[in-house]
Amino acid sequence: MRNLYCTPFVFNATSYEEYRDGRCIGKGNVSMKIISKTKDVDGNWPYKFAFFHLEGDLPMSIKRNFGIPVFGIAKGDILEDRIQYGRIPDNVNFNDPTDPVVCNIFSNKTCIRFAMMSPLRIVEFYGGFELIGE
């Protein structure tokens, strides 16, 4: 997983599943790309963010452009079965329920998951990587 950590990528998603309260509330086929680049940012910690752009059809409610903080390997960004950018915050009330706060990239390289708040829900995209690295 270290070779994918903080590395730009393009992921072709062909299907999705959306969950809320442990229940599937939507699923189906999609034709979309998830494009990611990690960049250093000036200002307060964290100093690095993973920026995402979702291109194509989005039958679920999720932002097309957003950034998620990268905390670092020493702070638990690489887990046994996935990379995790961002964390679920203590404050569960967010102004924008379409703004992802966590991204999981699974080691099987066929699933990318985003978590959104207010209400807490996840969207899993299934497919494969078109490009890893620039």
Side-chain angles (χ1 to χ4, degrees):
M1 291 303 302
R2 287 183 184 263
N3 67 331
L4 186 55
Y5 182 70
C6 289
T7 302
F9 66 79
V10 176
F11 183 86
N12 289 320
T14 56
S15 65
Y16 82 98
E17 294 178 1
E18 183 175 8
Y19 293 89
R20 181 174 169 189
D21 298 326
R23 194 175 92 254
C24 184
I25 61 171
K27 65 180 178 176
N29 294 326
V30 293
S31 177
M32 59 174 288
K33 291 181 186 282
I34 300 170
I35 301 162
S36 177
K37 290 189 179 191
T38 306
K39 295 182 182 180
D40 294 328
V41 294
D42 294 330
N44 296 328
W45 186 87
Y47 300 110
K48 190 176 286 257
F49 275 78
F51 291 98
F52 295 90
H53 172 69
L54 307 183
E55 214 171 74
D57 60 334
L58 294 173
M60 75 297 300
S61 184
I62 186 172
K63 274 191 173 177
R64 287 188 178 271
N65 296 292
F66 55 91
I68 295 177
V70 174
F71 291 105
I73 293 172
K75 299 220 184 265
D77 280 0
I78 297 183
L79 304 171
E80 186 175 323
D81 65 339
R82 71 191 86 173
I83 293 169
Q84 178 169 293
Y85 299 131
R87 302 292 187 273
I88 298 291
D90 293 335
N91 178 1
V92 295
N93 292 319
F94 273 68
N95 292 334
D96 189 348
T98 67
D99 195 10
V101 295
V102 175
C103 174
N104 295 129
I105 304 167
F106 290 89
S107 59
N108 64 12
K109 297 185 180 174
T110 63
C111 179
I112 295 179
R113 174 191 295 161
F114 295 106
M116 279 79 54
M117 305 294 295
S118 296
L120 180 60
R121 63 191 173 91
I122 61 170
V123 178
E124 295 180 341
F125 293 100
Y126 298 95
F129 284 91
E130 174 183 320
L131 175 70
I132 298 175
E134 291 186 294

